[in-house]
């Protein structure tokens, strides 16, 4: 169903749709994740900030080339965020023993905040662990952008007709079609700072690394429980807040936190299209009136222009007749003068 069809049907349903319904995410029930969901482990102690993951993501997703080439590491001197043309970025931070790098992209929450606030279900949590987006049903409210605790979804503000919300998909379309066996960023990493596999398996790998090298790692796997858990997990040798990651998210999932507020989402879903429909009707009427006024103005202008042209033509004709008469009179006068002069010459002779 296209977004225009959705709005039309929802508007037709009317405000009565608000009775006896609640938002899907408002049940307050936790979700332990799909049993075979995949995930990615990022190990900040292995990342060298080469940006190969950015290049791999760009190629796989056919994104526009960046202003500066991926080999240009001067971009790391300024902290960046993902946007509609960059699904993943690497930032550099100063650690106690030198620079530390951290890859940033959608964390693919097990109970994603973006999906919990989307009343048209444009965002979907897939069994493979990824969170994907369906632009055909999106109404552009951008609640997902406000809800995401990691500030990931980005809007195509430079697309006036069909803007989308863009973010990392964990290469779900490419893996599902068989084009890839792992996300493009994982395959592009030369230092194995990224590991792809079943979430339960990479959690074991993460904890095994911490146990084997306790002096190298912070004793915590970021994403194991944050906001109900994520399918993108992190290891770090410095506190996570020192590499730009939030440590205030808690372990409660977004749907649980927003269950009360989301209970009114169906009302918004019913009222908003009606409001937009009213605005559209007013705009259409104003457009019709403006079009009629424009036509009348053009008609009046054409008539005035025609009258002005007729007056100018009449004046030109009058002037032409006068010029013709004056010319004849001058020629006659000249002829008479020449005849008189000739007569005098003959008399003198």
């Amino acid at each position: 169903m296209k977004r225009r069809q959705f709005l039309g049907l929802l508007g037709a349903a009317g405000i009565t749709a608000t009775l006896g319904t609640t938002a899907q995410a408002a049940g307050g029930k936790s979700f332990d994740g799909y049993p075979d969901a995949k995930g990615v482990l990022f190990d900040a102690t292995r990342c060298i900030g080469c940006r190969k993951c950015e290049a791999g993501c760009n190629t796989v997703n056919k994104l526009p080339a960046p202003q500066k080439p991926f080999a240009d590491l001067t971009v790391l001197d300024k902290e960046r965020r993902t946007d509609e043309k960059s699904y993943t970025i690497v930032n550099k931070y100063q650690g106690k023993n030198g620079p530390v790098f951290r890859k940033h992209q959608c964390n693919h929450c097990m109970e994603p905040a973006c999906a919990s606030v989307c009343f048209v279900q444009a965002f979907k949590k897939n069994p493979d662990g990824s969170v994907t987006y369906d632009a055909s049903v999106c109404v552009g409210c951008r609640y997902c952008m406000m809800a995401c605790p990691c500030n990931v979804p980005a809007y195509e503000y430079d697309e006036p007709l069909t803007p989308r919300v863009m973010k990392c998909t964990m290469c779900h379309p490419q893996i599902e079609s068989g084009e890839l066996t792992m996300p493009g960023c994982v395959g592009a990493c030369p230092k194995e700072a990224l590991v792809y596999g079943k979430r339960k398996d990479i959690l074991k790998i993460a904890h095994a690394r911490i146990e084997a090298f306790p002096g190298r790692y912070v004793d915590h796997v970021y994403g194991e429980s944050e906001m109900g858990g994520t399918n993108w997990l992190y290891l770090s040798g410095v506190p996570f807040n020192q590499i730009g990651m939030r440590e205030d998210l808690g372990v409660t999932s977004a749907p649980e936190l927003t269950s009360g507020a989301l209970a009114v989402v169906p009302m918004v879903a019913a009222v908003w299209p009606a409001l937009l429909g009213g605005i559209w009707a007013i705009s259409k009427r104003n457009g019709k009136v403006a079009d009629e006024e424009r036509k009348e103005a053009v008609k009046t202008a054409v008539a005035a222009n025609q009258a002005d042209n007729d007056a100018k033509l009449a004046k030109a004709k009058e002037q032409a007749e006068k010029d013709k008469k004056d010319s004849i009179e001058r020629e006659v006068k000249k002829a008479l003068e020449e005849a008189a002069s000739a007569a005098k010459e003959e008399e003198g002779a």
Side-chain angles (χ1 to χ4, degrees), residues 87-135:
Y87 295 170
T88 187
I89 54 93
V90 175
N91 280 327
K92 180 173 69 173
Y93 303 88
Q94 189 58 42
K96 60 182 179 180
N97 297 319
V100 181
F101 304 95
R102 196 260 297 190
K103 182 180 181 295
H104 182 44
Q105 74 296 303
C106 174
N107 286 326
H108 298 275
C109 302
M110 291 170 66
E111 294 185 86
C114 55
S116 73
V117 300
C118 183
F119 58 81
V120 296
Q121 297 181 4
F123 284 91
K124 178 184 178 182
K125 181 67 176 180
N126 301 301
D128 67 356
S130 63
V131 177
T132 53
Y133 163 78
D134 183 356

Side-chain angles (χ1 to χ4, degrees), residues 171-180:
C171 290
H172 170 82
Q174 294 88 344
I175 293 174
E176 189 175 48
S177 67
E179 179 184 346
L180 296 175

Side-chain angles (χ1 to χ4, degrees), residues 295-310:
K295 288 180 179 178
E296 186 62 30
V298 170
K299 183 178 179 181
T300 301
V302 169
N305 188 60
Q306 185 63 46
D308 185 55
N309 287 338
D310 290 344

